[in-house]
Amino acid sequence: MKLSTFAIALTFSVAATQSFAKDVVLKPINNNVETQACLTAAEEGFGPALRLIRANGFNVEEFSASVRCNGESLRNFAYMYKNNKATENAKTVALVAKNQDVASQACLEALTVGKDAALAKFGLEGENIICNHKSMSDFVREYSAENVVVRTAAE
């Protein structure tokens, strides 16, 4: 398999954005670990929810596979709630490819169309593409919950 490396420069910038939030009120129905994990995911994010799960002695993968928060996975629930908050001066992550090879373009494309579609578009099906020192799947997963802007090297 062809192994390609994709390097990305990350830039954190402050963008004045106006979002209109839905007034979301979360009311837990009990105080069990599952409910607390969902509440933590919504209020603090996915990472803190994972720490709570580990602190209570659960296997994160098994827990995440079996628990649903209002019908959503823990990750999706954290993402949905994050996107319902009004944000001003939100951080934006800018991704810039250091080179213009096919693998680099596939990594950037995967952020918008998904891994499989990006690999197919660039004829890389079956290839092991590495994006910013991560598997393409992990790269897409990491940046799917972020406010991402793709820039060219000239910008």
Side-chain angles (χ1 to χ4, degrees):
M1 285 196 189
K2 180 178 157 187
L3 184 62
S4 220
T5 301
F6 176 65
I8 295 177
L10 295 178
T11 306
F12 290 98
S13 61
V14 177
T17 61
Q18 292 182 342
S19 297
F20 298 100
K22 298 175 186 172
D23 292 326
V24 177
V25 177
L26 298 173
K27 293 185 179 184
I29 57 171
N30 58 39
N31 202 27
N32 64 22
V33 175
E34 294 85 354
T35 301
Q36 291 305 310
C38 290
L39 190 61
T40 301
E43 292 178 345
E44 300 174 35
F46 186 63
L50 295 181
R51 286 190 287 280
L52 174 79
I53 294 165
R54 285 187 198 104
N56 281 282
F58 291 96
N59 176 291
V60 171
E61 289 79 22
E62 290 175 9
F63 189 96
S64 294
S66 63
V67 172
R68 293 285 175 244
C69 305
N70 291 346
E72 297 292 332
S73 70
L74 193 63
R75 180 183 300 276
N76 285 345
F77 191 68
Y79 178 70
M80 286 170 44
Y81 186 77
K82 174 183 175 183
N83 286 334
N84 284 332
K85 287 187 171 181
T87 56
E88 288 194 25
N89 300 322
K91 287 185 179 178
T92 300
V93 177
L95 300 177
V96 181
K98 285 189 175 180
N99 58 51
Q100 296 301 314
D101 65 6
V102 175
S104 297
Q105 296 308 308
C107 287
L108 292 177
E109 187 74 17
L111 293 171
T112 56
V113 301
K115 175 188 172 186
D116 294 335
L119 291 174
K121 179 179 179 178
F122 292 97
L124 298 171
E125 297 98 331
E127 299 291 332
N128 184 22
I129 305 298
I130 303 299
C131 306
N132 205 25
H133 307 290
K134 296 178 180 150
S135 71
M136 185 182 272
S137 297
D138 288 343
F139 175 78
V140 170
R141 190 176 309 115
E142 179 178 344
Y143 291 106
S144 66
E146 299 288 335
N147 187 11
V148 175
V149 175
V150 176
R151 294 194 178 140
T152 64
E155 293 178 65

